[in-house]
């Protein structure tokens, strides 16, 4: 079972005034729930775990855009540092896929995958994947006969809507709230926010499509 850092349902979070928040978002957020520094420290540990488990394999790191790009880049930076400074290193190549499943704050029942025409190149490879809408993507990947697939997700949400799927590597288990920041968006806003924050109800209306 994957280990993770749990953010409890009654977590009070942190006052926005304690952090550097872009002025254009100050009125849109309830609180900071995971500060950027904590995200980075946890990501560094995930990188170490991946190197420990998969050292010696050639890994194709597949990023799920757009929400996964910051986590993906930071995770790969930590893996690169470990490759440079460790006896066990991982040959690494990267690829990208885009998946879209949200409209406003509601998850749709369909996942739109963009960029899957190159997945045939993954046959026989070890794949580490980052992102959210995993089951559709895992089904697509299985058709390409990869040697092994491991999923890394920064966040797993506790929600009654969950299918029960759990990634192989988890950063944080979080409450069932709509989270933005660190490349997670609400209708394309808030990707430029460094911390992971809870979006308030007024902002959901303000940025509604």
């Amino acid at each position: 079972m994957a280990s993770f850092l749990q953010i409890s349902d009654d977590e009070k979070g942190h006052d926005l005034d304690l952090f550097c928040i872009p002025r254009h978002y100050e009125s849109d957020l309830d609180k900071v729930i995971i500060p950027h520094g904590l995200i980075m420290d946890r990501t560094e540990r995930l990188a170490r775990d991946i190197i420990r488990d998969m050292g010696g394999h050639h890994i194709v790191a597949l990023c799920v855009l757009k929400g996964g790009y910051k986590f993906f880049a930071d995770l790969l930076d930590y893996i690169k540092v470990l490759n440079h400074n460790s006896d066990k290193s991982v040959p690494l190549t990267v690829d990208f896929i885009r998946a879209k499943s949200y409209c406003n704050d509601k998850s749709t029942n369909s996942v739109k995958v963009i960029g899957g025409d190159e997945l045939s190149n993954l046959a026989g490879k070890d794949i580490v994947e980052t992102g959210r809408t995993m089951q559709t993507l895992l089904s697509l990947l299985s058709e390409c006969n990869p040697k092994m697939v491991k999923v890394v997700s920064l966040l797993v949400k506790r929600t009654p809507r969950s299918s029960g799927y759990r990634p192989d590597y988890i950063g944080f288990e979080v409450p069932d709230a709509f989270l933005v920041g660190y490349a997670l968006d609400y209708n394309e806003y808030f990707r430029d926010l460094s911390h992971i924050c809870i979006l308030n109800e007024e902002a959901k209306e303000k940025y509604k499509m």
Side-chain angles (χ1 to χ4, degrees):
M1 181 178 176
S3 59
F4 52 85
L5 199 159
Q6 186 178 67
I7 309 294
S8 65
D9 288 338
D10 58 0
E11 168 63 46
K12 293 182 172 58
H14 308 281
D15 195 307
L16 299 177
D17 292 340
L18 298 173
F19 297 90
C20 294
I21 304 292
R23 288 184 177 273
H24 54 278
Y25 291 147
E26 285 179 346
S27 63
D28 301 324
L29 307 169
D30 274 343
K31 57 188 176 183
V32 174
I33 193 165
I34 310 178
H36 183 256
L38 183 56
I39 296 169
M40 297 302 289
D41 198 273
R42 184 74 187 112
T43 302
E44 182 177 12
R45 179 52 199 250
L46 290 172
R48 190 192 306 178
D49 291 346
I50 291 166
I51 289 281
R52 177 198 66 205
D53 297 343
M54 303 191 70
H57 293 271
H58 178 186
I59 294 175
V60 177
L62 179 63
C63 176
V64 181
L65 298 170
K66 297 180 186 176
Y69 83 85
K70 274 293 293 172
F71 175 50
F72 182 80
D74 289 335
L75 181 67
L76 261 58
D77 279 346
Y78 282 123
I79 290 175
K80 182 172 67 176
V81 169
L82 289 167
N83 272 345
H84 290 170
N85 299 289
S86 174
D87 293 335
K88 181 186 283 189
S89 64
V90 177
L92 193 69
T93 53
V94 301
D95 210 337
F96 300 87
I97 192 169
R98 184 175 172 192
K100 185 175 177 64
S101 64
Y102 270 78
C103 181
N104 296 321
D105 62 339
K106 299 290 188 279
S107 180
T108 64
N109 289 322
S110 62
V111 177
K112 184 178 181 182
V113 176
I114 304 165
D117 54 337
E118 298 301 323
L119 291 179
S120 58
N121 294 336
L122 303 177
K125 301 288 182 60
D126 300 302
I127 300 169
V128 176
E129 186 171 10
T130 63
R132 292 184 292 178
T133 49
M134 285 302 113
Q135 289 181 301
T136 296
L137 294 176
L138 289 171
S139 177
L140 288 172
L141 289 171
S142 68
E143 296 173 7
C144 302
N145 299 313
K147 182 179 178 183
M148 173 171 49
V149 177
K150 297 288 186 182
V151 177
V152 189
S153 185
L154 179 65
L155 305 178
V156 170
K157 189 175 288 187
R158 289 187 301 277
T159 170
R161 300 181 299 279
S162 171
S163 66
Y165 171 76
R166 303 286 284 186
D168 300 284
Y169 301 92
I170 298 169
F172 302 88
E173 187 185 81
V174 295
D176 190 10
F178 198 87
L179 305 179
V180 294
Y182 194 65
L184 301 176
D185 76 304
Y186 178 78
N187 292 337
E188 296 303 325
Y189 292 92
F190 303 100
R191 295 195 194 276
D192 54 334
L193 178 64
S194 295
H195 314 289
I196 294 178
C197 301
I198 294 181
L199 192 68
N200 64 35
E201 293 302 317
E202 292 80 8
K204 291 178 184 177
E205 286 301 316
K206 177 179 175 182
Y207 298 102
K208 192 172 184 178
M209 290 179 65

